[in-house]
Amino acid sequence: MDFGLVLQTDPPASQVVSLMKRAERNGFRYGWTFDSAVLWQEPFVIYSQILANTQKLTIGPMVTNPGTRTWEVTASTFATLNDMYGNRTVCGIGRGDSAMRVAGRAPNTLARLGEAIEVIRDLAEGREAVVDGNPIRIPWITDGKLPVWMAAYGPKALALAGQKADGFILQLADLYLTEWMIKAVRQAAVEAGRDPDSITICVAAPAYVGEDLAHARDQCRWFGGMVGNHVADLVSRYGEHSSMVPDELTEYVKSRQGYDYSHHGRTGNPSADFVPDEIVDRFCLLGPAEAHIEKLRALRDLGVDQFALYNMHDAREATIDAYGSDVIPLFS
């Protein structure tokens, strides 16, 4: 199992670079950041510094979207980084939650997302693609490589990931839901004539190593609020107690009262006060290292190829170091 570190690009950017360097020293193989231009600093600028200051770390957004950047710009940016530092990037992409809504726009449709996945990958790897009805190719790309991993929760999005994406990003670590969603992605891949085992499975969730479980929960409760945005969309689309979406995912958002993106992904987010301890425990990895190891082994047995650790809390360095000393060596 691979391990990734997920950060927000809060200023100063030098701190983001420093934490990514620390992650690589501790055995992490992937470095991810949020991508929301209004809320945080521009990630692709920072990626250049991360790549320059690491040797093997693969870098990418968790996640970008097809609406805030034109597709040829996204492809060219990835391809430029790959040309400068070797093929060490990955494109995580989704419909766009914070990036689109903060700018007053609705998230992208799945049809647009599916088209963007193919166009961005083709352009970044040097092939011709059609953008807004015009065939284009980036002529200077000769040896480009860009895997595109898609974030998804709902049944239609899971199917799209299985049909078109190189990887599937699941932003929660609940064992039941992980199993259900991996099966949906792989079944869609089979029905599309693809090898289901060729799709990389990445589970992303907060991890907090320590004995004080109550404190760890409070530091990571924001995550249930963030996931709740997507769950609320599913409830509005499919209704409550739909056979299309498990109750285990939708039940906890009944008392959700709205969401303030100014606190998005941050400890102490007041928009996450509806999230019960049970959901925090199910969605996150909390407690002593032994508890993390037990859950990670269960995730690995379900087919998870990478665990990406959201590191937005008050023990960022300590958690990276604890994973490097006590967790990652057991999975290498």
Side-chain angles (χ1 to χ4, degrees):
M1 178 184 279
D2 286 332
F3 288 83
L5 183 72
V6 188
L7 300 174
Q8 292 173 339
T9 52
D10 289 311
S14 59
Q15 180 68 11
V16 178
V17 176
S18 177
L19 288 169
M20 290 298 186
K21 290 168 63 178
R22 191 184 198 105
E24 184 177 62
R25 291 196 302 269
N26 278 281
F28 288 79
R29 292 189 57 200
Y30 284 76
W32 302 91
T33 75
F34 283 40
D35 176 18
S36 187
V38 174
L39 295 177
W40 303 289
Q41 292 186 329
E42 171 54 39
F44 286 93
V45 176
I46 301 172
Y47 293 163
S48 189
Q49 287 297 303
I50 296 170
L51 290 164
N53 283 276
T54 56
Q55 285 71 54
K56 297 181 180 180
L57 208 64
T58 296
I59 300 298
M62 187 175 281
V63 292
T64 192
N65 72 87
T68 54
R69 308 173 196 274
T70 60
W71 303 350
E72 67 271 23
V73 170
T74 299
S76 182
T77 304
F78 277 112
T80 301
L81 292 171
N82 285 337
D83 187 62
M84 293 172 68
Y85 301 107
N87 288 324
R88 292 170 53 199
T89 66
V90 56
C91 177
I93 195 168
R95 293 178 60 229
D97 177 34
S98 63
M100 296 295 287
R101 286 177 164 138
V102 166
R105 308 173 199 149
N108 296 271
T109 65
L110 287 176
R112 180 173 171 82
L113 176 57
E115 184 181 0
I117 287 172
E118 295 182 326
V119 167
I120 291 169
R121 181 170 51 212
D122 283 345
L123 290 176
E125 295 185 347
R127 295 184 294 276
E128 183 180 279
V130 176
V131 180
D132 295 330
N134 299 307
I136 60 173
R137 186 178 72 84
I138 303 174
W140 52 264
I141 299 174
T142 57
D143 190 29
K145 184 65 178 175
L146 183 66
V148 181
W149 298 7
M150 179 184 156
Y153 290 108
K156 292 181 180 178
L158 294 169
L160 181 63
Q163 292 160 4
K164 295 194 175 184
D166 301 299
F168 163 50
I169 297 172
L170 172 57
Q171 291 163 307
L172 54 80
D174 178 80
L175 297 179
Y176 173 83
L177 293 170
T178 298
E179 182 177 19
W180 182 82
M181 292 186 186
I182 289 175
K183 285 182 178 178
V185 169
R186 288 180 169 164
Q187 181 60 37
V190 170
E191 292 173 358
R194 303 179 68 198
D195 177 5
D197 293 329
S198 69
I199 301 173
T200 302
I201 306 296
C202 174
V203 161
Y208 195 106
V209 181
E211 298 290 340
D212 189 342
L213 190 56
H215 180 72
R217 285 170 176 153
D218 287 341
Q219 288 291 304
C220 298
R221 197 175 306 276
W222 62 265
F223 184 67
M226 185 183 84
V227 174
N229 292 331
H230 304 284
V231 175
D233 285 345
L234 295 177
V235 171
S236 67
R237 188 172 301 119
Y238 296 104
E240 294 184 8
H241 308 296
S242 167
S243 61
M244 300 288 288
V245 184
D247 288 346
E248 287 82 355
L249 181 61
T250 60
E251 191 69 19
Y252 85 100
V253 301
K254 284 184 176 180
S255 57
R256 179 180 181 271
Q257 298 298 317
Y259 194 81
D260 182 355
Y261 280 93
S262 66
H263 305 285
H264 188 59
R266 299 188 187 279
T267 296
N269 184 345
S271 299
D273 57 1
F274 70 95
V275 181
D277 288 350
E278 178 192 4
I279 288 294
V280 182
D281 292 348
R282 288 175 60 178
F283 283 12
C284 304
L285 276 72
L286 310 174
E290 292 77 14
H292 293 244
I293 293 165
E294 180 181 3
K295 192 164 188 178
L296 287 165
R297 284 175 171 158
L299 289 168
R300 182 184 61 185
D301 291 344
L302 293 175
V304 175
D305 300 300
Q306 179 185 152
F307 174 64
L309 186 163
Y310 279 102
N311 202 31
M312 282 72 80
H313 50 59
D314 66 1
R316 296 186 297 176
E317 290 86 354
T319 297
I320 292 170
D321 293 346
Y323 262 66
S325 61
D326 300 331
V327 179
I328 292 176
L330 299 179
F331 293 86
S332 57

